[in-house]
Amino acid sequence: MIVGLIVNPVAGLGGAVALKGSDGPDIQARALALGAVPRAAERAAAALRALRARRPDVLVRTVAGPMGEDSARAAGVPYRVAHRPAATSASTGAASTGAASTGAADTRAAVAALGDVDLLLFAGGDGTARDVLDAAPRPPVLGVPAGVKVYSGCFALSPAAAGATVAGFDGRTVDAEVVDLDEEGHRAGLVGARLYGTLRVPAARDRLSGRKTGSSAAPPGSAESIARAVVAGMRPGTAYALGPGATTLAVGRALGLALTPLGVDVVRDGALLAPDVTEQRLHAIAMSQVTHGVLSVIGGQGFVIGRGNQQFSPRVLAALAGVVVLATQQKLAALGGRPLLVDSGDPRADAAFEGHVRVVTGHRESVLYRISSASEELS
């Protein structure tokens, strides 16, 4: 089995440092200056380990350096370098990770160079998926989720799920949508995903994250009803870290506060304690006082942690006194019985959520719902 691998080494840089994306050299440089740590290479290596555990005969063809070779070497899989990226100027969207500078043009060139593999793995987010789509790949593809935004349907649930899916690939494919947000509008709170096209992916829907869907189907007042329940349950002297989402924004309105759209804000005793926090700031708060996380469910996907809220890192989750999960009844029903998912990047942290969680669905309304590590949903 010959598998291609492309890694976007700057994918996900902006998440933990509250930049809400990683597109563009200025944002990438800012993220690195704020202490962001590249994570795409590690997640690509995790996918390769899961693949080789099931298919020892696999051979990886990849791109030199941080665009794939480093991950293949770290995973201990047999590999061959089939492409070396050209030097990329800042005008094409390059950014330095300390090892090399790569950009969208390099991703597109790598897709063209790896056109003769059985399946092409790429590690990144929605922006990387767009670059792969633009290059019109010949083989089927599968995304390893490593970006801040992972709303497209061409990604596996987790790196481990990506490896397992590739190992079991039997040639059957389905079309998966590629969507992306305008990051400048995203940072300003203007949420609206645009459909760019479709990519052929393995026909393994139980291991694919699916496309994010909105909350337009929820009856008017649903979010406000949930918000009233959350505010009524807040304890004096306790901090609450409100994750991104329309439902948590409603909690802010119920408190009379204007929260950061798509950011993480910390409130205490009805007042804003810390707006738009980074992972580092959130960890400091959680270590210094009793803090609860308030997180909404991503429609259509079911993710609670690991998609657009990377400020809730494994160490932050360990420091929290508890987590409150919010979702409308319509959003839960749309999951069709599939579990809520956690993908923090640390299997041990994810495993701590295994079981059932109480989901607030309205004022004086809640349900117990199954929650699982995204890496465990491999059946």
Side-chain angles (χ1 to χ4, degrees):
M1 186 178 194
I2 301 177
V3 174
L5 174 68
I6 299 172
V7 176
N8 176 0
V10 297
L13 274 180
V17 292
L19 295 181
K20 306 164 187 68
S22 305
D23 292 351
D26 293 340
I27 290 296
Q28 293 157 9
R30 184 179 171 192
L32 291 168
L34 289 170
V37 178
R39 61 199 294 262
E42 176 185 344
R43 289 174 73 81
L48 293 180
R49 292 188 192 101
L51 167 58
R52 195 185 186 199
R54 294 165 175 81
R55 288 292 301 266
D57 62 325
V58 69
L59 172 66
V60 172
R61 289 183 182 166
T62 189
V63 187
M67 287 193 69
E69 181 184 10
D70 294 349
S71 297
R73 184 184 300 114
V77 299
Y79 72 90
R80 294 177 184 170
V81 172
H83 178 68
R84 297 186 179 276
T88 309
S89 67
S91 63
T92 61
S96 173
T97 64
S101 293
T102 62
D106 295 294
T107 298
R108 293 191 290 266
V111 172
L114 296 173
D116 59 347
V117 297
D118 296 316
L119 189 143
L120 178 61
L121 270 178
F122 69 91
D126 291 327
T128 311
R130 282 182 58 187
D131 295 335
V132 172
L133 175 67
D134 289 344
R138 291 193 296 274
V141 306
L142 181 63
V144 178
V148 179
K149 312 181 306 298
V150 188
Y151 296 159
S152 299
C154 56
F155 289 93
L157 291 173
S158 67
T165 301
V166 176
F169 181 52
D170 60 4
R172 293 181 298 156
T173 62
V174 295
D175 289 337
E177 295 176 326
V178 175
V179 301
D180 199 9
L181 304 179
D182 172 9
E183 286 199 357
E184 290 301 318
H186 192 59
R187 294 183 185 98
L190 303 175
V191 185
R194 174 183 169 188
L195 174 63
Y196 284 88
T198 61
L199 287 167
R200 286 190 304 127
V201 300
R205 292 196 181 277
D206 57 336
R207 292 177 180 171
L208 300 178
S209 63
R211 175 182 171 179
K212 177 188 182 297
T213 60
S215 303
S216 58
S222 296
E224 285 69 23
S225 176
I226 293 172
R228 289 198 302 273
V230 173
V231 172
M234 287 182 168
R235 302 170 185 171
T238 299
Y240 293 86
L242 305 176
T247 310
T248 46
L249 285 177
V251 175
R253 291 194 297 270
L255 291 169
L257 302 174
L259 301 184
T260 306
L262 307 170
V264 176
D265 298 295
V266 183
V267 302
R268 185 181 63 197
D269 296 328
L272 188 60
L273 177 64
D276 202 13
V277 295
T278 63
E279 184 274 346
Q280 184 176 14
R281 175 67 173 134
L282 181 55
H283 181 254
I285 291 172
M287 291 295 290
S288 65
Q289 58 190 290
V290 178
T291 305
H292 291 259
V294 182
L295 301 168
S296 61
V297 175
I298 294 183
Q301 295 185 337
F303 279 96
V304 176
I305 293 168
R307 299 295 184 268
N309 58 7
Q310 283 86 359
Q311 295 92 326
F312 291 91
S313 66
R315 69 171 185 166
V316 167
L317 294 173
L320 292 176
V323 171
V324 181
V325 179
L326 317 178
T328 63
Q329 293 178 358
Q330 292 73 20
K331 188 176 286 187
L332 293 180
L335 292 176
R338 299 191 307 278
L340 302 180
L341 296 170
V342 179
D343 182 21
S344 71
D346 184 335
R348 291 173 297 180
D350 295 350
F353 283 86
E354 291 280 350
H356 288 78
V357 64
R358 185 166 296 279
V359 181
V360 179
T361 58
H363 186 52
R364 297 180 180 175
E365 294 180 355
S366 65
V367 298
L368 281 177
Y369 199 94
R370 187 162 66 97
I371 189 167
S372 175
S373 164
S375 296
E376 295 301 319
E377 287 299 305
L378 303 180
S379 60

